[in-house]
Amino acid sequence: MLLNFLDELRGAGIRASLKEHLTLLEALDSDVIERRPEDFYYLARATYVKDEGLLDRFDEVFHKVFHGVFSDLGEDQATIPEEWLRAVTEKFLSDEERAAIEQLGDWDEIMETLKKRLEEQEGRHEGGNKWIGTGGTSPFGHSGYNPAGVRIGGESRNRRAIKVWEKREFANLDSSKELGTRNIKVALRRLRRFAREGAADELDLDATIRGTAKQGWLDIRMRPERHNAVKLLLFLDVGGSMDDHAKATEELFSAATSEFKNMEFFYFHNCLYESVWKDNSRRWSERIPTWDILHKYGHDYKIVFVGDAAMSPYEIAWPGGSVEHMNEEAGEVWLQRVVDTYPAVAWLNPNAQRGWQYTQSTQMIRQIMSDRMFPLTLDGLDDAMRSLTRKQG
């Protein structure tokens, strides 16, 4: 089975060598881990994966090879998940019934009401219109409907919540996705500005020929490698509604990784706030202050945001509006700081451009970006690259 695992890793493009395989066997023989599936997973991942962009593919191969092997014997397979039972209570409302449901008010009123009901509620509720529960028309809970409320747990259905309380797990983007990236690479090449910098480690054939002819002996001349001197900061929206656009975003991420030597990327969710992260599996424990980015990377960097800009307007305009934490400053404050710091900024939106006018949050971000929002299409990429190379007044 372990040899099959090695073959599957190689077939998925992970360069797993025989030496690494022997290292894994030696570690197992030396009992460096407990005999538990989770420990074996982390040991194998640490042995074979040298690039965080390959973590997704490793997980897929691991699941394929070892699926079912570590199942607990005697486990009750007929247990119905509780969330399935709760979803049965979800109401299907007509347009008239939806219109009749009263919205509590603005952000402050909704949050104040939630605070009071948390203090008053004593048990679980389903199908109601007031308490925190499931399947009803209350502004608080999940699997129901309200024009504007706070979703607590569950899955997004109508995408009408102004705030969400739940623990979410996001996956890193795979930098090696090659399907469909060729045309994206062509579009990104508009940002190329070649230069020769660094150590002279490349043979300069023309200079060698001229020098040899002039000196009368072999005169080898070296030069620095020619590379793209453009510096790029890539901010990637992940999770939530961006899950629908993961493939297109991965293709862009893969193309940018191969085209730009001086590129850094960071993840955010919905809107930029006081911190970002590099690894979605550690996004709560290893965060990077946005101020540090603004101070570390010079004004000559090009900035590209990738996100659908589809969120509650409160997430952009209000302190505490984030769906995941209580942000002290509004998202628009941080976006404006980026725009003020870097002259070349663009926002790539994977949603169809014809629908942007119907989303208030999209219009708000377009205004902050000085209308430098472009669709994530080949034409949109071409326009975005032209915008980034254009001199800002």
Side-chain angles (χ1 to χ4, degrees):
M1 176 171 287
L2 290 179
L3 286 175
N4 181 43
F5 183 38
L6 180 64
D7 291 338
E8 291 289 345
L9 288 172
R10 291 173 172 174
I14 298 176
R15 297 180 179 178
S17 68
L18 184 59
K19 180 180 180 180
E20 291 169 333
H21 179 68
L22 294 175
T23 300
L24 177 64
L25 294 179
E26 183 180 353
L28 292 174
D29 188 56
S30 302
D31 292 327
V32 299
I33 60 170
E34 297 289 336
R35 300 292 177 126
R36 296 182 301 183
E38 183 178 1
D39 292 346
F40 173 72
Y41 163 79
Y42 285 111
L43 175 63
R45 194 178 78 172
T47 303
Y48 290 121
V49 180
K50 303 300 187 294
D51 182 351
E52 63 181 10
L54 299 176
L55 291 176
D56 280 354
R57 279 193 285 170
F58 177 84
D59 289 348
E60 292 173 2
V61 172
F62 191 91
H63 176 76
K64 176 183 177 182
V65 174
F66 297 106
H67 178 64
V69 174
F70 300 123
S71 298
D72 294 329
L73 296 176
E75 184 179 359
D76 184 8
Q77 300 294 328
T79 302
I80 301 176
E82 182 180 356
E83 58 268 22
W84 290 14
L85 297 176
R86 291 185 178 183
V88 173
T89 66
E90 181 181 1
K91 289 192 173 183
F92 295 90
L93 306 176
S94 66
D95 293 339
E96 292 77 11
E97 290 172 323
R98 290 174 184 265
I101 299 173
E102 183 179 359
Q103 181 176 327
L104 285 180
D106 62 16
W107 170 268
D108 293 330
E109 293 172 319
I110 291 175
M111 299 307 292
E112 183 63 29
T113 303
L114 173 60
K115 180 180 178 181
K116 291 180 180 179
R117 292 188 186 176
L118 283 171
E119 296 173 350
E120 298 172 0
Q121 185 165 333
E122 297 179 354
R124 172 180 167 183
H125 288 267
E126 293 183 1
N129 61 7
K130 177 181 178 181
W131 298 111
I132 303 167
T134 61
T137 58
S138 166
F140 314 112
H142 69 83
S143 297
Y145 173 82
N146 193 276
V150 178
R151 176 163 63 84
I152 303 176
E155 296 182 358
S156 177
R157 297 178 183 273
N158 300 295
R159 293 182 177 172
R160 302 300 300 269
I162 63 172
K163 193 171 183 68
V164 178
W165 262 303
E166 65 173 344
K167 181 180 179 181
R168 304 190 198 179
E169 300 295 337
F170 299 155
N172 292 329
L173 298 178
D174 190 342
S175 64
S176 60
K177 289 286 186 180
E178 286 294 326
L179 183 62
T181 59
R182 182 178 181 276
N183 289 333
I184 296 178
K185 289 180 181 180
V186 172
L188 292 177
R189 285 170 187 170
R190 287 193 177 277
L191 269 186
R192 283 182 170 183
R193 188 180 71 246
F194 287 109
R196 296 190 183 276
E197 300 173 349
D201 53 7
E202 178 183 275
L203 175 65
D204 189 339
L205 184 58
D206 292 339
T208 298
I209 293 174
R210 288 194 301 268
T212 300
K214 182 178 180 180
Q215 302 292 341
W217 62 79
L218 182 60
D219 185 13
I220 297 178
R221 303 288 181 90
M222 305 296 289
R223 64 185 179 185
E225 182 183 359
R226 185 171 178 259
H227 63 269
N228 189 0
V230 168
K231 301 174 182 178
L232 179 68
L233 291 183
L234 191 61
F235 291 88
L236 301 157
D237 182 7
V238 291
S241 57
M242 279 299 292
D243 288 343
D244 300 337
H245 310 291
K247 183 176 183 294
T249 308
E250 281 189 329
E251 291 173 354
L252 174 68
F253 181 51
S254 175
T257 301
S258 64
E259 286 297 317
F260 299 101
K261 181 178 181 180
N262 299 312
M263 189 195 85
E264 290 289 343
F265 71 92
F266 303 95
Y267 294 117
F268 69 99
H269 182 53
N270 282 357
C271 191
L272 184 69
Y273 296 110
E274 69 279 356
S275 62
V276 292
W277 58 95
K278 297 277 287 184
D279 187 342
N280 281 308
S281 64
R282 299 177 179 176
R283 66 193 184 97
W284 294 118
S285 59
E286 297 181 5
R287 298 179 77 93
I288 303 168
T290 308
W291 270 126
D292 288 358
I293 296 174
L294 297 180
H295 291 142
K296 179 178 180 180
Y297 299 99
H299 299 182
D300 56 337
Y301 272 80
K302 314 287 187 183
I303 312 297
V304 175
F305 288 93
V306 183
D308 59 10
M311 67 197 85
S312 165
Y314 293 112
E315 296 184 60
I316 303 172
W318 286 66
S322 167
V323 297
E324 296 193 312
H325 73 294
M326 300 302 292
N327 51 298
E328 294 184 0
E329 294 182 291
E332 64 181 357
V333 173
W334 287 104
L335 288 174
Q336 191 61 54
R337 284 171 178 157
V338 173
V339 172
D340 292 342
T341 302
Y342 300 96
V345 181
W347 186 294
L348 295 174
N349 191 331
N351 280 337
Q353 189 172 4
R354 61 179 178 275
W356 293 357
Q357 58 181 319
Y358 303 111
T359 306
Q360 183 180 353
S361 59
T362 304
Q363 295 301 316
M364 294 170 69
I365 289 181
R366 286 184 71 181
Q367 184 176 0
I368 296 172
M369 294 286 136
S370 300
D371 209 30
R372 288 174 287 179
M373 179 180 287
F374 306 90
L376 188 50
T377 62
L378 292 179
D379 289 341
L381 273 172
D382 192 62
D383 292 339
M385 298 306 104
R386 292 177 186 272
S387 173
L388 290 172
T389 55
R390 191 179 302 130
K391 291 185 177 181
Q392 306 297 323

